[in-house]
Amino acid sequence: MISIIQAAGWPIWPLILCSILALAFIVERAIKLKANRVLSPHLVDEAIGVSREAVPAPDTVNQLAAHSALGEVLAAGWRAINQNPRCTPQDMRAAMEGAGREVAHRLERYLPAIATIASAAPLLGLLGTVIGMIEIFGSQAPSGALSGGNPAQLAHGISVALYNTAFGLIIAIPALIAWRYFRSKVDGYVLELELSAERFARHLEPLCPAQGATR
C-alpha cells in the first residue's frame, strides 16, 4: 500500500483524506440511523394510552423524549400542553412541527458531506490524472534533442495518472451508494414521523386547554 501511495504521488493525499472522512461519516450514519433510534412500532399507541384522559407528568414526558426521535416529536405536544395554560390545537401542532423539523435536520446530518465527497473524489482523481499527464509530457525530450525521454519519469507520470483515477472512482462509488441509501432511509423515516405525529396530534386536540375556544 505504501508503494502504491508513493507511486501515485502527492495528488493521492487529498483522496486519502476524502476516504477517511467518507468512512467516518458512513459509519456514524449507519449507527445513528438504526430503526430503534428513530422509530418504535408501538410508541404512538403507548403514548396515546398514557394520555387518554390527561397529559402525564413532566417525568413521563422526559422519558418519552429520550426514547427515540419519534418520542421527541410526540413529547413536544405534551410539553406544549403542560407549559401553556392557554395552549390551542394550533400551538400544540406548531410545537410538534418544530420538533419534527429539528429531528429531520439531525437525521440528515453528514449526508451533504457524503454527497460532496462522492462528487469531489472523481474530480480529485481527474486532477491527479492531469498532473500525471503533465509529468509524462515533461519527461519527453525537447525537440531536436539527441536522447529520448526519461523512462523513469515517463513511468512515474503514467502511474500518477492511473492510480489517482482509480482511487477517485474507488472512493466515489461507495460514497454515492451510501448517500443514496441513507437518503432513501431518511426520507422513509421522515414520512413515518409525519404520519405518527399527525395521528398523535389528533388525539391531543381534545386535551388542549383552549380547545373549546377554537371551535
Side-chain angles (χ1 to χ4, degrees):
M1 180 61 69
I2 295 177
S3 62
I4 292 176
I5 293 175
Q6 291 174 345
W10 67 264
I12 199 67
W13 291 107
L15 288 170
I16 292 176
L17 178 60
C18 286
S19 68
I20 295 173
L21 292 175
L23 180 61
F25 293 150
I26 290 172
V27 171
E28 192 273 347
R29 285 294 85 190
I31 295 173
K32 295 295 185 181
L33 293 179
K34 288 183 178 180
N36 59 354
R37 288 177 173 265
V38 182
L39 301 173
S40 179
H42 307 293
L43 187 61
V44 177
D45 294 331
E46 294 173 1
I48 290 175
V50 171
S51 60
R52 193 168 299 278
E53 300 297 334
V55 175
D59 291 341
T60 304
V61 175
N62 294 334
Q63 290 178 2
L64 178 63
H67 183 276
S68 61
L70 175 58
E72 186 174 343
V73 176
L74 302 183
W78 279 354
R79 284 201 180 100
I81 296 175
N82 277 338
Q83 296 174 359
N84 185 4
R86 298 181 179 178
C87 181
T88 65
Q90 290 77 12
D91 296 332
M92 178 267 298
R93 285 179 176 272
M96 294 182 65
E97 289 174 1
R101 285 193 294 269
E102 184 178 350
V103 167
H105 179 73
R106 288 205 308 268
L107 293 178
E108 294 174 353
R109 188 181 184 186
Y110 298 135
L111 293 190
I114 297 175
T116 300
I117 292 173
S119 300
L123 297 179
L124 291 174
L126 178 60
L127 174 62
T129 302
V130 172
I131 292 174
M133 297 298 293
I134 291 174
E135 292 188 8
I136 291 173
F137 287 113
S139 67
Q140 303 304 306
S143 177
L146 297 178
S147 60
N150 187 339
Q153 190 173 0
L154 176 62
H156 178 69
I158 295 174
S159 66
V160 169
L162 296 181
Y163 277 129
N164 282 278
T165 301
F167 266 85
L169 295 176
I170 289 171
I171 295 168
I173 293 172
L176 179 61
I177 293 173
W179 176 76
R180 295 288 295 181
Y181 170 73
F182 289 136
R183 179 74 266 173
S184 175
K185 199 169 188 178
V186 168
D187 290 342
Y189 283 154
V190 171
L191 177 60
E192 289 293 331
L193 289 172
E194 290 177 352
L195 295 176
S196 299
E198 175 60 28
R199 178 187 172 196
F200 193 64
R202 289 198 301 268
H203 160 73
L204 290 182
E205 284 184 353
L207 301 179
C208 294
Q211 194 268 347
T214 60
R215 293 180 179 176

